[in-house]
């Protein structure tokens, strides 16, 4: 079974500190918390971009880990939209059509709007075979239909998917909801 | 040191001292040990810099130069640079630019230079953060090494150009067209004045040399 285990993890980034002790099993996990509570720090640590100060993160049965940060521009490596999709190891069609970018395969991805870039990067990440996906604030630059579509796509993914968000609105039905409060990650009490 | 004017003076004096002589470099290192809070960059950065300086010193020695002298001087300069960077606070360069501009009778130029320096420093900090995230994002795509480096550079360039454009738009929207009014407030402590005085003494020591100092004192 695919699972990501945070074993008494303590994360520090500058003056900021976050404690987490959790098990993320298969399905969609939404991590909510106010801006500045440490969601991006947690996402970065899960992606391997930040080593815990103490404790350990165990990845059980994970063969491919993928992280999408808040800035879609950080992920763009292709000179065209088409080559960008190919850089993720994916065929451009029919993905571009599904992402609303049909006929724009030769466009410069850096010249797309921020919302379009986000759609492109998220669409590619979701289409890969990654069995552990970490999305940092994926809903932020999207409009409501975009959020609903993303929510649907997230719900149907195999493996473990973790999405952080500061908003409680338009969230997909998740396997589990978590909240960061007072520097600690814990299950959401509903 | 909270007052950026004294800090700048101290850093300039110590850097000059380390450049002029080995005695000045030792004096600058002693100043760092006694008068600063002895902050160093992360262990990894110290390791990279240490290895680089050691290799350069070894190369200097092998090619007939004085490797030890080079090592001492560069180490002192790096200690002073670490102090200057660690002591930097948001708004320091803006304060300093506006203050210098007003002192030399060019307040608008001082305001613009201070603002530019402040924005540049802020962008550098943001770029360092961007770079680590871009590297992480690009590594996930499993590209070959050379295309990966090129992709990281291109993405960083694009992200910073976009940020610069957005920042320029923002300050233009707020009505900035050139110059402005900024009245910084400085409150130097006695300890800061003394530490700067010691730094200037180290520079004088480096310029005159130990022998001249002892002759003057007789």
């Amino acid at each position: 079974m695919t699972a990501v285990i945070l074993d008494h993890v303590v994360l520090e980034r500058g003056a900021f500190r976050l404690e987490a002790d959790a098990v993320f099993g298969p399905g969609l996990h939404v991590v909510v918390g106010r801006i500045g509570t440490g969601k991006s720090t947690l996402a970065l640590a899960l992606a391997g971009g930040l080593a815990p100060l103490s404790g350990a993160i165990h990845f059980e049965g994970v063969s491919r880990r993928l992280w999408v940060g808040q800035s879609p521009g950080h992920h763009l490596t292709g000179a065209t939209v088409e080559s960008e999709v190919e850089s993720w190891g994916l065929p451009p069609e029919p993905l571009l059509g599904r992402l609303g970018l049909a006929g724009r395969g030769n466009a410069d991805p850096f010249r797309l709007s921020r919302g379009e870039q986000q759609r492109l990067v998220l669409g590619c990440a979701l289409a890969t075979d990654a069995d552990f996906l970490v999305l940092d604030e994926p809903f932020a630059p999207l409009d409501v239909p975009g959020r609903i579509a993303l929510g649907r796509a997230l719900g149907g993914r195999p493996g473990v998917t973790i999405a952080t968000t500061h908003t409680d609105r338009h969230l997909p039905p998740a396997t589990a909801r978590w909240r960061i409060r007072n520097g600690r990650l814990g299950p959401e009490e509903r | 040191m909270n007052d950026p004017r004294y800090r700048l003076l101290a850093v300039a004096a110590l850097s000059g001292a380390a450049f002029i002589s080995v005695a000045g470099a030792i004096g600058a290192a002693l100043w760092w040990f006694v008068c600063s809070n002895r902050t160093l960059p992360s262990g990894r950065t110290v390791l990279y810099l240490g290895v680089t300086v050691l290799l350069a010193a070894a190369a200097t020695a092998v090619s007939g130069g004085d490797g030890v002298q080079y090592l001492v001087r560069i180490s002192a300069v790096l200690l002073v640079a670490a102090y200057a960077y660690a002591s930097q606070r948001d708004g320091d360069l803006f304060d300093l630019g506006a203050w210098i501009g007003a002192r030399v009778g060019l307040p608008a130029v001082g305001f613009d230079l201070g603002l530019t320096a402040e924005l540049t420093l802020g962008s550098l900090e943001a770029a360092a953060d961007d770079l680590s995230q871009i590297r992480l994002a690009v590594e996930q795509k499993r590209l070959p090494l050379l295309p990966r480096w090129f992709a990281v550079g291109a993405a960083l360039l694009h992200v910073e150009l976009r940020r610069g454009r957005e920042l320029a738009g923002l300050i233009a929207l707020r009505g900035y067209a050139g110059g402005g009014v900024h009245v910084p407030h400085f409150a130097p402590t006695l300890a800061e004045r003394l530490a700067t005085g010691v730094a200037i003494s180290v520079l004088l020591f480096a310029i005159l040399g130990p022998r001249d100092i002892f002759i003057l004192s007789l």
Side-chain angles (χ1 to χ4, degrees):
Chain A
M1 188 183 79
T2 313
V4 177
I5 301 156
L6 279 70
D7 184 10
H8 297 91
V9 167
V10 176
L11 302 169
E12 265 192 10
R13 206 172 169 201
F16 181 80
R17 185 183 170 97
L18 175 69
E19 293 176 22
D21 197 30
V23 177
F24 298 110
L28 172 63
H29 298 261
V30 176
V31 178
V32 291
R34 298 180 69 176
I35 290 170
T37 50
K39 299 183 299 295
S40 295
T41 302
L42 176 67
L44 212 52
L46 289 167
L50 179 70
L53 187 71
S54 65
I57 304 176
H58 304 288
F59 300 93
E60 287 184 2
V62 174
S63 56
R64 187 175 180 193
R65 174 170 53 165
L66 208 56
W67 159 83
V68 177
Q70 288 189 30
S71 300
H74 287 169
H75 295 265
L76 300 177
T77 56
T80 63
V81 170
E82 228 170 61
S83 62
E84 176 56 32
V85 177
E86 285 165 350
S87 74
W88 292 78
L90 302 164
E93 295 302 337
L95 188 60
L96 286 180
R98 287 212 306 267
L99 297 174
L101 293 167
R104 301 184 66 185
N106 288 323
D108 180 351
F110 285 102
R111 290 196 172 274
L112 298 178
S113 73
R114 196 180 159 83
E116 287 171 330
Q117 284 181 352
Q118 180 79 346
R119 229 186 307 150
L120 175 64
V121 170
L122 281 174
C124 291
L126 289 168
T128 62
D129 59 354
D131 49 9
F132 178 47
L133 190 59
V134 184
L135 308 175
D136 189 10
E137 294 282 3
F139 304 99
L142 299 176
D143 53 16
V144 174
R147 288 179 183 199
I148 292 167
L150 176 62
R152 272 201 210 107
L154 289 177
R157 281 201 101 248
V160 182
T161 303
I162 298 175
T164 71
T165 176
H166 67 273
T167 175
D168 284 340
R169 303 180 70 183
H170 307 297
L171 294 183
T175 304
R177 271 175 76 162
W178 303 78
R179 184 171 289 276
I180 296 178
R181 190 181 282 148
N182 301 326
R184 184 177 280 275
L185 173 75
E188 169 89 303
E189 291 163 11
R190 281 192 276 185
Chain B
M1 220 185 272
N2 289 326
D3 191 325
R5 300 168 306 167
Y6 282 92
R7 198 189 314 134
L8 178 68
L9 191 58
V11 166
L14 295 169
S15 304
F19 178 76
I20 289 166
S21 70
V22 172
I26 293 170
L30 282 174
W31 184 96
W32 175 83
F33 190 77
V34 175
C35 298
S36 81
N37 52 8
R38 299 193 284 273
T39 308
L40 286 173
S42 68
R44 188 190 284 186
T45 309
V46 170
L47 183 70
Y48 286 159
L49 284 173
V51 169
T52 308
V53 170
L54 275 174
L55 286 175
T60 307
V62 167
S63 60
D66 192 334
V68 176
Q69 203 180 105
Y70 171 85
L71 183 66
V72 172
R73 287 181 178 191
I74 290 295
S75 299
V77 167
L78 289 175
L79 284 178
V80 173
Y83 160 74
Y85 186 74
S87 309
Q88 187 72 37
R89 293 183 312 170
D90 285 349
D92 274 356
L93 293 177
F94 191 24
D95 288 351
L96 207 56
W99 180 79
I100 293 172
R103 299 285 288 192
V104 299
L106 297 167
V109 174
F111 183 97
D112 288 346
L113 287 178
L115 182 64
T116 307
E118 194 67 42
L119 293 177
T120 304
L121 195 72
S123 299
L124 283 175
E125 285 167 7
D129 220 28
D130 284 331
L131 179 61
S132 65
Q133 297 203 11
I134 288 169
R135 284 174 60 183
L136 182 63
V138 172
E139 275 169 19
Q140 296 180 138
K141 291 189 177 179
R142 301 167 180 172
L143 299 173
L145 199 61
L146 267 179
R148 193 191 307 167
W149 286 353
F150 181 76
V152 168
L156 185 64
L157 191 65
H158 274 100
V159 167
E160 298 318 317
L161 285 173
R162 188 169 196 149
R163 174 173 288 125
R165 203 166 46 237
E166 286 171 359
L167 192 61
L170 182 68
I171 60 173
L173 195 69
R174 289 185 173 187
Y176 175 78
V181 178
H182 176 58
V183 185
H185 174 70
F186 302 107
T189 61
L190 180 64
E192 289 174 1
R193 289 193 170 111
L194 281 173
T196 308
V198 173
I200 292 169
S201 303
V202 171
L203 176 64
L204 290 174
F205 177 73
I207 293 169
L208 297 174
R211 203 165 42 191
D212 292 335
I213 297 278
F214 291 125
I215 289 168
L216 285 173
S217 66
L218 285 172

